[in-house]
Amino acid sequence: MTSGVDAEFLALPLSTLADAALSTARVSGAQHADLRVHRLVTQSIRIRDGRVEAISNSTDLGLAVRVIVDGTWGFASAAALTPDTAAEVAQRAITVAKTLRALNREKVELADEPRYDNAQWVSAYALDPFTVPTADKVDVLQDYSGRLSAADGVDHVTASVLQVKEQTFYADTAGSSITQQRVRLHPVLEAITVDSASGVFESMRTLAAPAGRGWEYVTGADGIWDWDGELAQIPAWLAEKVKAPTVTAGPTDLVIDPSNLWLTIHESIGHATEYDRAIGYESAYAGTSFATPDKLGTLRYGTPIMHVTGDRTQPHGLATVGYDDEGVAGQRWDLVRAGILVGYQLDRVFAPRLGLDRSNGCSYADSAHHVPIQRMANVSLQPDPDRDTSTAELISRVDDGIYIVGDKSWSIDMQRYNFQFTGQRFFRIRDGKLDGQLRDVAYQATTTDFWGAMEAVGGPSTWQLGGAFNCGKAQPGQVAAVSHGCPSVLVRGVNILNTRNEAGQ
């Protein structure tokens, strides 16, 4: 199982760098200063039709210093890890703060946080993927790819795995000193069928979500994902999808699988409850939010069964940490309770502006050379706490509807309000039972109409973590990995679009 932080990272002169940077900042008049050493190791492997198409390896390493001088932020970074460099970077951050002070209209105040002395945290995984020979990883992907390629009707297969190890050291003038390591990866296989006569093609990919796990997840050694079963079924699902009838547009009852719903949660709840977005910080790039602070405690987000949490502690979550990039310990809190907006995702600057004594730990930077900003926690819809309702039971309540599995394309407006989503597989429901696949399906709604039409949520046995490696935000752009857990749900009367007709075909 998980061991400690790699000796290679611990061998860096972390404490010496902190002493040099923080002492320089104090002497130069900073009211607060923090140093962050950030190391990101990445490997990507991609195979097409059984042949290795690309293998890439990268390491990003550097240090960053943030300071507050007279209520104004300053930030600077460098690649070299020497005490002299750390002191010089701290001095540059001080200069930045003093230069910007005349332009600052809002004094920076940080919410208090306890001191964490020599804290260490490592994410939960059994086998570090970076200790597995690359050739062995290629063998696994080629084996999986070969199983799909051998099936009738499969013309092309792609297989890939993205692996990341992230290590950070944080120290600040309040006395905190924190070292962390987390591992995450995302394996994907996709089968493609092509009808050369008609030019029609379709694809079907695996639904294993990216996760904060080790190589055991890819091989199935941990029993979390049934690779053998899914790979055996994909060709038949794909063949059925190609021949499936097109959907009839109009209001439709939906049962939505967690493998699809996580993305709807990400776009319509996760981004909408980021406090910086809600007060306009992202308006020039990725938009604002309809869920503005004046609606806190009153906005009817969905039906009373809707309970959504923000969580930095969820086991194997992509946004799970021991401490965020401001030294705040991971927490779990409510965003939507009984269908009402009750909370936001916050960092140490935004918490006081909302009248809170403490941040809920949502600060993150994807590199030493980027300033930490408020980023998304693992935002999850909770299952039915009283009854373990199965997906099959939800389907049994529908006379005429659609069961949606897997995510695909999506679109949502700049206020996180009007959206449409598609999926991997769409099964028609007739008289409470599945009755073959449909094609060309998208569901469209406003955020509050959609969640306001949620009649039932599945129980704990239906709850799964989905997620994404590449959630983008900010200028300069940063990416963050985030998970979203949810059960299956039953939603009544959602508008279905026929994507083929919408495209004028």
Side-chain angles (χ1 to χ4, degrees):
M1 294 300 292
T2 303
S3 57
V5 178
D6 289 355
E8 181 182 6
F9 186 73
L10 295 177
L12 298 173
L14 303 173
S15 296
T16 304
L17 297 172
D19 289 343
L22 301 181
S23 61
T24 299
R26 285 192 193 96
V27 169
S28 299
Q31 288 78 56
H32 166 88
D34 57 60
L35 166 104
R36 179 170 46 89
V37 178
H38 189 280
R39 183 173 185 254
L40 194 72
V41 182
T42 303
Q43 183 183 60
S44 174
I45 303 173
R46 182 176 174 83
I47 291 172
R48 179 176 172 81
D49 294 335
R51 300 180 63 182
V52 175
E53 190 172 66
I55 298 177
S56 63
N57 298 276
S58 66
T59 299
D60 183 87
L61 176 63
L63 66 84
V65 177
R66 291 192 316 170
V67 299
I68 299 175
V69 178
D70 294 335
T72 303
W73 280 120
F75 173 83
S77 68
L81 302 184
T82 67
D84 287 346
T85 300
E88 187 270 333
V89 168
Q91 192 59 61
R92 281 198 285 123
I94 292 284
T95 301
V96 170
K98 291 181 177 180
T99 302
L100 294 176
R101 183 172 51 191
L103 302 176
N104 186 18
R105 298 183 180 181
E106 203 165 23
K107 187 176 181 179
V108 174
E109 296 181 8
L110 299 182
D112 290 335
E113 180 67 16
R115 171 182 169 179
Y116 305 100
D117 187 19
N118 293 319
Q120 189 173 118
W121 180 87
V122 180
S123 65
Y125 57 90
L127 182 58
D128 182 346
F130 292 93
T131 66
V132 179
T134 298
D136 292 353
K137 292 186 262 194
V138 169
D139 286 345
V140 172
L141 294 181
Q142 286 181 324
D143 172 41
Y144 289 171
S145 178
R147 298 188 207 179
L148 289 176
S149 296
D152 291 340
V154 175
D155 295 294
H156 300 287
V157 176
T158 60
S160 65
V161 61
L162 177 60
Q163 308 141 88
V164 177
K165 180 188 288 184
E166 188 168 26
Q167 299 159 323
T168 57
F169 171 76
Y170 171 91
D172 63 28
T173 47
S176 283
S177 176
I178 301 164
T179 309
Q180 300 188 94
Q181 176 171 297
R182 53 182 177 147
V183 166
R184 54 188 181 268
L185 45 73
H186 188 194
V188 180
L189 284 98
E190 184 173 44
I192 301 168
T193 184
V194 181
D195 185 333
S196 55
S198 65
V200 173
F201 70 92
E202 270 292 355
S203 64
M204 188 82 63
R205 59 177 167 79
T206 51
L207 301 182
R213 298 182 181 273
W215 189 249
E216 68 280 358
Y217 181 52
V218 182
T219 62
D222 57 3
I224 298 301
W225 197 257
D226 182 10
W227 291 98
D228 293 340
E230 186 177 31
L231 292 171
Q233 289 178 293
I234 281 178
W237 281 329
L238 182 57
E240 183 183 12
K241 185 177 181 181
V242 170
K243 299 176 182 178
T246 193
V247 72
T248 300
T252 306
D253 296 341
L254 305 178
V255 175
I256 305 179
D257 191 79
S259 58
N260 179 273
L261 190 65
W262 75 265
L263 184 55
T264 308
I265 292 170
H266 177 88
E267 298 294 348
S268 69
I269 306 174
H271 279 306
T273 57
E274 293 177 302
Y275 186 73
D276 61 343
R277 178 189 295 275
I279 61 175
Y281 272 51
E282 283 283 289
S283 56
Y285 175 53
T288 57
S289 170
F290 77 96
T292 49
D294 58 300
K295 299 173 184 173
L296 188 65
T298 61
L299 174 65
R300 170 59 68 182
Y301 220 108
T303 55
I305 61 172
M306 185 182 187
H307 179 200
V308 179
T309 58
D311 195 345
R312 298 284 264 168
T313 67
Q314 173 66 47
H316 307 294
L318 295 172
T320 298
V321 294
Y323 308 85
D324 77 349
D325 282 353
E326 292 183 324
V328 178
Q331 302 157 51
R332 182 180 187 266
W333 68 99
D334 287 344
L335 294 168
V336 178
R337 186 173 56 246
I340 302 297
L341 175 69
V342 296
Y344 287 99
Q345 302 165 72
L346 304 161
D347 61 16
R348 291 181 68 180
V349 171
F350 291 129
R353 297 184 190 181
L354 203 57
L356 300 178
D357 295 331
R358 189 185 182 203
S359 161
N360 48 39
C362 290
S363 178
Y364 173 73
D366 66 358
S367 163
H369 308 297
H370 286 155
V371 66
I373 58 174
Q374 185 262 295
R375 292 309 310 258
M376 199 181 298
N378 302 306
V379 173
S380 299
L381 175 69
Q382 298 306 305
D384 186 338
D386 301 319
R387 186 172 184 275
D388 194 12
T389 304
S390 68
T391 302
E393 287 179 87
L394 296 179
I395 291 171
S396 73
R397 299 186 193 182
V398 178
D399 293 328
D400 188 0
I402 300 173
Y403 173 46
I404 302 176
V405 179
D407 67 274
K408 204 167 185 181
S409 65
W410 72 96
S411 176
I412 193 164
D413 72 5
M414 299 295 274
Q415 286 72 47
R416 303 288 148 172
Y417 194 62
N418 291 284
F419 64 70
Q420 69 178 48
F421 292 85
T422 61
Q424 287 284 320
R425 299 189 286 275
F426 307 93
F427 296 92
R428 181 162 186 182
I429 304 172
R430 290 190 184 184
D431 300 324
K433 297 180 180 179
L434 299 185
D435 186 27
Q437 289 190 55
L438 295 167
R439 292 186 65 182
D440 312 317
V441 181
Y443 61 94
Q444 182 273 329
T446 66
T447 294
T448 51
D449 283 349
F450 178 82
W451 295 109
M454 186 169 64
E455 180 181 290
V457 296
S461 65
T462 75
W463 197 90
Q464 296 178 11
L465 273 179
F469 255 45
N470 58 345
C471 177
K473 189 176 180 182
Q475 292 175 297
Q478 298 193 38
V479 295
V482 59
S483 293
H484 303 285
C486 55
S488 298
V489 301
L490 169 58
V491 190
R492 298 287 190 184
V494 178
N495 188 39
I496 288 295
L497 304 176
N498 183 302
T499 57
R500 182 183 296 268
N501 292 343
E502 292 292 323
Q505 299 178 4

